[in-house]
Structure formats: structure tokens, C-alpha cells
Amino acid sequence: MTASSRAHAPEPHIGVPPPAATPMPPGGGVYWGHGGSMTGYETRGGATDDGRAVSIAVTVQPDQATMDAMSVLVDKALCPRRS
């Protein structure tokens, strides 16, 4: 990388966790991603090594049932055995 290209390189996102490997149901492998939340919002998402990807967001303060339902939707979208 040259000095001039370094000057224009994007800054790392401070405070954003790196993607984590999350196991799917047995035989489904893993997906890479992470969720996030703040008051009134919840997100979940990820991508598999074979190119499947999903992103889910709700604009309510979720209860445990909502968070569990979001996890089920991510698994259904990404797990090749459930598609």
C-alpha cells in the first residue's frame, strides 16, 4: 500500500464487533454475523460460506419470544436443510 492509498483507506468501525461463527441446527454448518440492539430496535443477520445471506430487523423493544422467533427465521433462511 502506498502512502497516498493509506491516506484514503477506510477507518475501522470502532465499537462494532467482528462477525462470529454461529452454529445452525445439526448438519447445517455455521453462519457468520452478529445481531445488535438498542432501545426499540433489534437486528439479526448473517451469511454462510456458500453465499446465503439474511438480515432481519424489528422496530419494537423485543421480548424473549420475539428474539427467539428472529433466531428461527435466520436459521430457516440460512440452513440448507431447512430451506
Side-chain angles (χ1 to χ4, degrees):
M1 186 180 273
T2 67
S4 121
S5 65
R6 269 195 302 266
H8 300 291
E11 293 290 324
H13 293 283
I14 297 171
V16 176
T22 302
M24 289 186 278
V30 299
Y31 69 87
W32 297 89
H34 58 80
S37 65
M38 64 182 295
T39 304
Y41 298 91
E42 181 80 19
T43 64
R44 298 282 168 88
T48 62
D49 290 333
D50 68 359
R52 291 173 182 252
V54 65
S55 181
I56 300 169
V58 296
T59 56
V60 298
Q61 188 63 41
D63 57 12
Q64 189 61 50
T66 301
M67 291 188 293
D68 292 346
M70 291 174 75
S71 293
V72 168
L73 288 171
V74 169
D75 284 347
K76 283 185 175 189
L78 297 178
C79 184
R81 293 178 164 241
R82 292 193 172 195
S83 303

